[in-house]
Amino acid sequence: MYARLTLLAALILLPTMTVAQEFITVPRRLSDDAFYRLVACAAPPGGPCGKPEIRWSEERRVSLTVGIAQIDAGFPTYKLDLVDDAIDRAIAQINASGAYLVLERIYEGEPDISIYLLDTPQDGIIAGTGNRELDGSELSIGRVAIRSRGGEIQDAAIAISRDIQRREVASVVLEELVQALGLPTDIQSPAYPDSIFNENSNAVVWLRGQDAMALRRHYPRL
């Protein structure tokens, strides 16, 4: 999607590894199995995974916290209000998806999923967040960085550019939060105008269909 993503897997005794592939192109709609494998581990239809599967631990997934960690002075105030509302709406949709996880908005302390509202222009380089997974990387409109050890997510950070358009806010926030849960790969296809994972659009504002299915499959109820 226009919202860019970097997945960083911090492995024990190994250097941080960056997986660069961000989307996979397909010509038509996929089965539920193929769609899930694409967004969860970058597997092309019928092919092997291109990324490791990662998840929040069973202990943390039922009390994951989300909060705004930084608001740059140059981030427009009216866009802050839109993002603030979009975070609450996205959390409500994820919590109602049927997946075995619970997100909670916090306003103090260090959240599991941190959101940075930056005075960084579209396609600019992120700096000054103090988050080593974000600083130095390119920011299109939105970006999520996930740090994991083995298959377990340790923390996630979302950056949003000052240049985000009003009409994009709800879609970008929802997509980035879902991807911060371990579904990091977008899909490029004219067959998926209704998916938040659509690489070529920031228009979908509801978690439905195969999008919600993928999240439930990633976090099945016991």
Side-chain angles (χ1 to χ4, degrees), residues 177-201:
L177 276 179
V178 170
Q179 293 195 316
L181 299 173
L183 301 176
T185 306
D186 281 336
I187 185 168
Q188 185 177 63
S189 174
Y192 278 97
D194 56 344
S195 174
I196 61 170
F197 297 100
N198 188 329
E199 166 70 13
N200 297 320
S201 173

PDB file of all heavy atoms in Angstrom, residues 177-201:
ATOM      1  N   LEU A 177      -2.226  -0.713  12.150  1.00  0.00           N
ATOM      2  CA  LEU A 177      -2.471  -1.440  13.393  1.00  0.00           C
ATOM      3  C   LEU A 177      -2.619  -2.934  13.132  1.00  0.00           C
ATOM      4  O   LEU A 177      -2.090  -3.764  13.879  1.00  0.00           O
ATOM      5  CB  LEU A 177      -3.715  -0.901  14.101  1.00  0.00           C
ATOM      6  CG  LEU A 177      -3.509   0.324  14.991  1.00  0.00           C
ATOM      7  CD1 LEU A 177      -4.823   0.770  15.601  1.00  0.00           C
ATOM      8  CD2 LEU A 177      -2.493   0.040  16.095  1.00  0.00           C
ATOM      9  N   VAL A 178      -3.339  -3.300  12.078  1.00  0.00           N
ATOM     10  CA  VAL A 178      -3.494  -4.720  11.749  1.00  0.00           C
ATOM     11  C   VAL A 178      -2.136  -5.323  11.387  1.00  0.00           C
ATOM     12  O   VAL A 178      -1.793  -6.426  11.815  1.00  0.00           O
ATOM     13  CB  VAL A 178      -4.516  -4.909  10.614  1.00  0.00           C
ATOM     14  CG1 VAL A 178      -4.503  -6.353  10.112  1.00  0.00           C
ATOM     15  CG2 VAL A 178      -5.918  -4.546  11.086  1.00  0.00           C
ATOM     16  N   GLN A 179      -1.336  -4.595  10.612  1.00  0.00           N
ATOM     17  CA  GLN A 179      -0.037  -5.129  10.236  1.00  0.00           C
ATOM     18  C   GLN A 179       0.899  -5.229  11.438  1.00  0.00           C
ATOM     19  O   GLN A 179       1.738  -6.129  11.507  1.00  0.00           O
ATOM     20  CB  GLN A 179       0.575  -4.283   9.123  1.00  0.00           C
ATOM     21  CG  GLN A 179      -0.222  -4.408   7.812  1.00  0.00           C
ATOM     22  CD  GLN A 179       0.516  -3.899   6.592  1.00  0.00           C
ATOM     23  OE1 GLN A 179       1.131  -2.842   6.652  1.00  0.00           O
ATOM     24  NE2 GLN A 179       0.444  -4.636   5.507  1.00  0.00           N
ATOM     25  N   ALA A 180       0.744  -4.347  12.405  1.00  0.00           N
ATOM     26  CA  ALA A 180       1.543  -4.417  13.631  1.00  0.00           C
ATOM     27  C   ALA A 180       1.217  -5.650  14.464  1.00  0.00           C
ATOM     28  O   ALA A 180       1.953  -5.991  15.387  1.00  0.00           O
ATOM     29  CB  ALA A 180       1.325  -3.161  14.475  1.00  0.00           C
ATOM     30  N   LEU A 181       0.133  -6.336  14.108  1.00  0.00           N
ATOM     31  CA  LEU A 181      -0.254  -7.559  14.813  1.00  0.00           C
ATOM     32  C   LEU A 181       0.377  -8.797  14.185  1.00  0.00           C
ATOM     33  O   LEU A 181       0.159  -9.917  14.658  1.00  0.00           O
ATOM     34  CB  LEU A 181      -1.777  -7.685  14.833  1.00  0.00           C
ATOM     35  CG  LEU A 181      -2.504  -6.539  15.542  1.00  0.00           C
ATOM     36  CD1 LEU A 181      -4.007  -6.667  15.371  1.00  0.00           C
ATOM     37  CD2 LEU A 181      -2.129  -6.484  17.015  1.00  0.00           C
ATOM     38  N   GLY A 182       1.154  -8.608  13.101  1.00  0.00           N
ATOM     39  CA  GLY A 182       1.861  -9.731  12.498  1.00  0.00           C
ATOM     40  C   GLY A 182       1.368 -10.142  11.136  1.00  0.00           C
ATOM     41  O   GLY A 182       1.650 -11.262  10.690  1.00  0.00           O
ATOM     42  N   LEU A 183       0.677  -9.253  10.447  1.00  0.00           N
ATOM     43  CA  LEU A 183       0.247  -9.503   9.062  1.00  0.00           C
ATOM     44  C   LEU A 183       0.889  -8.423   8.193  1.00  0.00           C
ATOM     45  O   LEU A 183       0.225  -7.472   7.778  1.00  0.00           O
ATOM     46  CB  LEU A 183      -1.285  -9.462   8.959  1.00  0.00           C
ATOM     47  CG  LEU A 183      -2.031 -10.472   9.832  1.00  0.00           C
ATOM     48  CD1 LEU A 183      -3.538 -10.264   9.716  1.00  0.00           C
ATOM     49  CD2 LEU A 183      -1.668 -11.914   9.453  1.00  0.00           C
ATOM     50  N   PRO A 184       2.184  -8.546   7.879  1.00  0.00           N
ATOM     51  CA  PRO A 184       2.945  -7.412   7.369  1.00  0.00           C
ATOM     52  C   PRO A 184       3.000  -7.215   5.856  1.00  0.00           C
ATOM     53  O   PRO A 184       3.625  -6.260   5.416  1.00  0.00           O
ATOM     54  CB  PRO A 184       4.354  -7.706   7.898  1.00  0.00           C
ATOM     55  CG  PRO A 184       4.437  -9.199   7.876  1.00  0.00           C
ATOM     56  CD  PRO A 184       3.059  -9.676   8.241  1.00  0.00           C
ATOM     57  N   THR A 185       2.371  -8.077   5.069  1.00  0.00           N
ATOM     58  CA  THR A 185       2.553  -8.002   3.622  1.00  0.00           C
ATOM     59  C   THR A 185       1.295  -7.535   2.911  1.00  0.00           C
ATOM     60  O   THR A 185       0.195  -8.034   3.172  1.00  0.00           O
ATOM     61  CB  THR A 185       2.986  -9.370   3.059  1.00  0.00           C
ATOM     62  OG1 THR A 185       4.136  -9.819   3.771  1.00  0.00           O
ATOM     63  CG2 THR A 185       3.336  -9.262   1.582  1.00  0.00           C
ATOM     64  N   ASP A 186       1.448  -6.588   1.981  1.00  0.00           N
ATOM     65  CA  ASP A 186       0.334  -6.093   1.180  1.00  0.00           C
ATOM     66  C   ASP A 186       0.125  -6.955  -0.062  1.00  0.00           C
ATOM     67  O   ASP A 186       0.985  -7.762  -0.443  1.00  0.00           O
ATOM     68  CB  ASP A 186       0.594  -4.652   0.744  1.00  0.00           C
ATOM     69  CG  ASP A 186       0.301  -3.651   1.853  1.00  0.00           C
ATOM     70  OD1 ASP A 186      -0.491  -3.975   2.741  1.00  0.00           O
ATOM     71  OD2 ASP A 186       0.862  -2.548   1.808  1.00  0.00           O
ATOM     72  N   ILE A 187      -1.015  -6.735  -0.712  1.00  0.00           N
ATOM     73  CA  ILE A 187      -1.356  -7.445  -1.929  1.00  0.00           C
ATOM     74  C   ILE A 187      -1.612  -6.421  -3.029  1.00  0.00           C
ATOM     75  O   ILE A 187      -2.288  -5.415  -2.812  1.00  0.00           O
ATOM     76  CB  ILE A 187      -2.585  -8.357  -1.702  1.00  0.00           C
ATOM     77  CG1 ILE A 187      -2.894  -9.196  -2.935  1.00  0.00           C
ATOM     78  CG2 ILE A 187      -3.815  -7.549  -1.285  1.00  0.00           C
ATOM     79  CD1 ILE A 187      -3.894 -10.306  -2.644  1.00  0.00           C
ATOM     80  N   GLN A 188      -1.025  -6.645  -4.181  1.00  0.00           N
ATOM     81  CA  GLN A 188      -1.244  -5.753  -5.321  1.00  0.00           C
ATOM     82  C   GLN A 188      -2.089  -6.499  -6.348  1.00  0.00           C
ATOM     83  O   GLN A 188      -1.629  -7.465  -6.955  1.00  0.00           O
ATOM     84  CB  GLN A 188       0.074  -5.327  -5.938  1.00  0.00           C
ATOM     85  CG  GLN A 188      -0.081  -4.300  -7.067  1.00  0.00           C
ATOM     86  CD  GLN A 188       1.260  -3.845  -7.608  1.00  0.00           C
ATOM     87  OE1 GLN A 188       2.016  -4.653  -8.144  1.00  0.00           O
ATOM     88  NE2 GLN A 188       1.556  -2.571  -7.452  1.00  0.00           N
ATOM     89  N   SER A 189      -3.324  -6.068  -6.528  1.00  0.00           N
ATOM     90  CA  SER A 189      -4.231  -6.754  -7.447  1.00  0.00           C
ATOM     91  C   SER A 189      -5.476  -5.924  -7.660  1.00  0.00           C
ATOM     92  O   SER A 189      -6.045  -5.396  -6.702  1.00  0.00           O
ATOM     93  CB  SER A 189      -4.631  -8.122  -6.880  1.00  0.00           C
ATOM     94  OG  SER A 189      -5.607  -8.741  -7.695  1.00  0.00           O
ATOM     95  N   PRO A 190      -5.956  -5.826  -8.898  1.00  0.00           N
ATOM     96  CA  PRO A 190      -7.228  -5.139  -9.135  1.00  0.00           C
ATOM     97  C   PRO A 190      -8.411  -5.905  -8.559  1.00  0.00           C
ATOM     98  O   PRO A 190      -9.518  -5.358  -8.472  1.00  0.00           O
ATOM     99  CB  PRO A 190      -7.301  -5.064 -10.660  1.00  0.00           C
ATOM    100  CG  PRO A 190      -6.451  -6.194 -11.145  1.00  0.00           C
ATOM    101  CD  PRO A 190      -5.337  -6.293 -10.144  1.00  0.00           C
ATOM    102  N   ALA A 191      -8.172  -7.140  -8.146  1.00  0.00           N
ATOM    103  CA  ALA A 191      -9.247  -7.961  -7.591  1.00  0.00           C
ATOM    104  C   ALA A 191      -9.512  -7.659  -6.121  1.00  0.00           C
ATOM    105  O   ALA A 191     -10.456  -8.196  -5.551  1.00  0.00           O
ATOM    106  CB  ALA A 191      -8.902  -9.443  -7.756  1.00  0.00           C
ATOM    107  N   TYR A 192      -8.682  -6.781  -5.505  1.00  0.00           N
ATOM    108  CA  TYR A 192      -8.829  -6.518  -4.075  1.00  0.00           C
ATOM    109  C   TYR A 192      -9.025  -5.035  -3.738  1.00  0.00           C
ATOM    110  O   TYR A 192      -8.322  -4.483  -2.889  1.00  0.00           O
ATOM    111  CB  TYR A 192      -7.623  -7.078  -3.312  1.00  0.00           C
ATOM    112  CG  TYR A 192      -7.767  -8.562  -3.051  1.00  0.00           C
ATOM    113  CD1 TYR A 192      -7.161  -9.492  -3.892  1.00  0.00           C
ATOM    114  CD2 TYR A 192      -8.544  -9.032  -2.005  1.00  0.00           C
ATOM    115  CE1 TYR A 192      -7.308 -10.852  -3.680  1.00  0.00           C
ATOM    116  CE2 TYR A 192      -8.705 -10.387  -1.781  1.00  0.00           C
ATOM    117  CZ  TYR A 192      -8.092 -11.292  -2.615  1.00  0.00           C
ATOM    118  OH  TYR A 192      -8.258 -12.636  -2.402  1.00  0.00           O
ATOM    119  N   PRO A 193     -10.017  -4.394  -4.357  1.00  0.00           N
ATOM    120  CA  PRO A 193     -10.279  -2.997  -3.983  1.00  0.00           C
ATOM    121  C   PRO A 193     -10.891  -2.870  -2.588  1.00  0.00           C
ATOM    122  O   PRO A 193     -10.928  -1.777  -2.026  1.00  0.00           O
ATOM    123  CB  PRO A 193     -11.274  -2.538  -5.056  1.00  0.00           C
ATOM    124  CG  PRO A 193     -12.015  -3.787  -5.433  1.00  0.00           C
ATOM    125  CD  PRO A 193     -10.972  -4.876  -5.378  1.00  0.00           C
ATOM    126  N   ASP A 194     -11.368  -4.004  -2.036  1.00  0.00           N
ATOM    127  CA  ASP A 194     -12.062  -3.992  -0.745  1.00  0.00           C
ATOM    128  C   ASP A 194     -11.162  -4.418   0.413  1.00  0.00           C
ATOM    129  O   ASP A 194     -11.659  -4.676   1.515  1.00  0.00           O
ATOM    130  CB  ASP A 194     -13.272  -4.915  -0.810  1.00  0.00           C
ATOM    131  CG  ASP A 194     -12.909  -6.347  -1.218  1.00  0.00           C
ATOM    132  OD1 ASP A 194     -11.790  -6.566  -1.740  1.00  0.00           O
ATOM    133  OD2 ASP A 194     -13.743  -7.254  -1.020  1.00  0.00           O
ATOM    134  N   SER A 195      -9.850  -4.473   0.204  1.00  0.00           N
ATOM    135  CA  SER A 195      -8.945  -4.955   1.248  1.00  0.00           C
ATOM    136  C   SER A 195      -8.078  -3.832   1.794  1.00  0.00           C
ATOM    137  O   SER A 195      -7.557  -3.010   1.038  1.00  0.00           O
ATOM    138  CB  SER A 195      -8.038  -6.062   0.691  1.00  0.00           C
ATOM    139  OG  SER A 195      -7.062  -6.454   1.641  1.00  0.00           O
ATOM    140  N   ILE A 196      -7.867  -3.832   3.113  1.00  0.00           N
ATOM    141  CA  ILE A 196      -6.947  -2.861   3.700  1.00  0.00           C
ATOM    142  C   ILE A 196      -5.506  -3.147   3.292  1.00  0.00           C
ATOM    143  O   ILE A 196      -4.641  -2.282   3.416  1.00  0.00           O
ATOM    144  CB  ILE A 196      -7.046  -2.829   5.238  1.00  0.00           C
ATOM    145  CG1 ILE A 196      -6.691  -4.196   5.848  1.00  0.00           C
ATOM    146  CG2 ILE A 196      -8.407  -2.354   5.696  1.00  0.00           C
ATOM    147  CD1 ILE A 196      -6.530  -4.166   7.345  1.00  0.00           C
ATOM    148  N   PHE A 197      -5.251  -4.344   2.784  1.00  0.00           N
ATOM    149  CA  PHE A 197      -3.900  -4.718   2.350  1.00  0.00           C
ATOM    150  C   PHE A 197      -3.617  -4.318   0.908  1.00  0.00           C
ATOM    151  O   PHE A 197      -2.540  -4.611   0.390  1.00  0.00           O
ATOM    152  CB  PHE A 197      -3.697  -6.233   2.506  1.00  0.00           C
ATOM    153  CG  PHE A 197      -3.787  -6.715   3.919  1.00  0.00           C
ATOM    154  CD1 PHE A 197      -4.941  -7.310   4.394  1.00  0.00           C
ATOM    155  CD2 PHE A 197      -2.719  -6.576   4.790  1.00  0.00           C
ATOM    156  CE1 PHE A 197      -5.032  -7.765   5.697  1.00  0.00           C
ATOM    157  CE2 PHE A 197      -2.792  -7.021   6.109  1.00  0.00           C
ATOM    158  CZ  PHE A 197      -3.964  -7.615   6.558  1.00  0.00           C
ATOM    159  N   ASN A 198      -4.564  -3.654   0.251  1.00  0.00           N
ATOM    160  CA  ASN A 198      -4.396  -3.241  -1.139  1.00  0.00           C
ATOM    161  C   ASN A 198      -3.229  -2.269  -1.268  1.00  0.00           C
ATOM    162  O   ASN A 198      -3.251  -1.169  -0.709  1.00  0.00           O
ATOM    163  CB  ASN A 198      -5.690  -2.589  -1.641  1.00  0.00           C
ATOM    164  CG  ASN A 198      -5.676  -2.309  -3.126  1.00  0.00           C
ATOM    165  OD1 ASN A 198      -4.625  -2.048  -3.716  1.00  0.00           O
ATOM    166  ND2 ASN A 198      -6.845  -2.354  -3.738  1.00  0.00           N
ATOM    167  N   GLU A 199      -2.219  -2.662  -2.014  1.00  0.00           N
ATOM    168  CA  GLU A 199      -1.002  -1.872  -2.164  1.00  0.00           C
ATOM    169  C   GLU A 199      -1.252  -0.524  -2.816  1.00  0.00           C
ATOM    170  O   GLU A 199      -0.533   0.446  -2.555  1.00  0.00           O
ATOM    171  CB  GLU A 199       0.010  -2.678  -2.997  1.00  0.00           C
ATOM    172  CG  GLU A 199       1.193  -1.903  -3.537  1.00  0.00           C
ATOM    173  CD  GLU A 199       2.182  -1.461  -2.456  1.00  0.00           C
ATOM    174  OE1 GLU A 199       2.081  -1.959  -1.315  1.00  0.00           O
ATOM    175  OE2 GLU A 199       3.043  -0.630  -2.752  1.00  0.00           O
ATOM    176  N   ASN A 200      -2.278  -0.426  -3.637  1.00  0.00           N
ATOM    177  CA  ASN A 200      -2.472   0.772  -4.457  1.00  0.00           C
ATOM    178  C   ASN A 200      -3.575   1.699  -3.968  1.00  0.00           C
ATOM    179  O   ASN A 200      -3.999   2.589  -4.701  1.00  0.00           O
ATOM    180  CB  ASN A 200      -2.767   0.360  -5.910  1.00  0.00           C
ATOM    181  CG  ASN A 200      -1.594  -0.371  -6.525  1.00  0.00           C
ATOM    182  OD1 ASN A 200      -0.450  -0.008  -6.315  1.00  0.00           O
ATOM    183  ND2 ASN A 200      -1.884  -1.432  -7.275  1.00  0.00           N
ATOM    184  N   SER A 201      -4.024   1.508  -2.744  1.00  0.00           N
ATOM    185  CA  SER A 201      -5.130   2.336  -2.271  1.00  0.00           C
ATOM    186  C   SER A 201      -5.080   2.491  -0.762  1.00  0.00           C
ATOM    187  O   SER A 201      -4.661   1.583  -0.038  1.00  0.00           O
ATOM    188  CB  SER A 201      -6.476   1.701  -2.672  1.00  0.00           C
ATOM    189  OG  SER A 201      -7.557   2.392  -2.085  1.00  0.00           O
TER     190      SER A 201
END
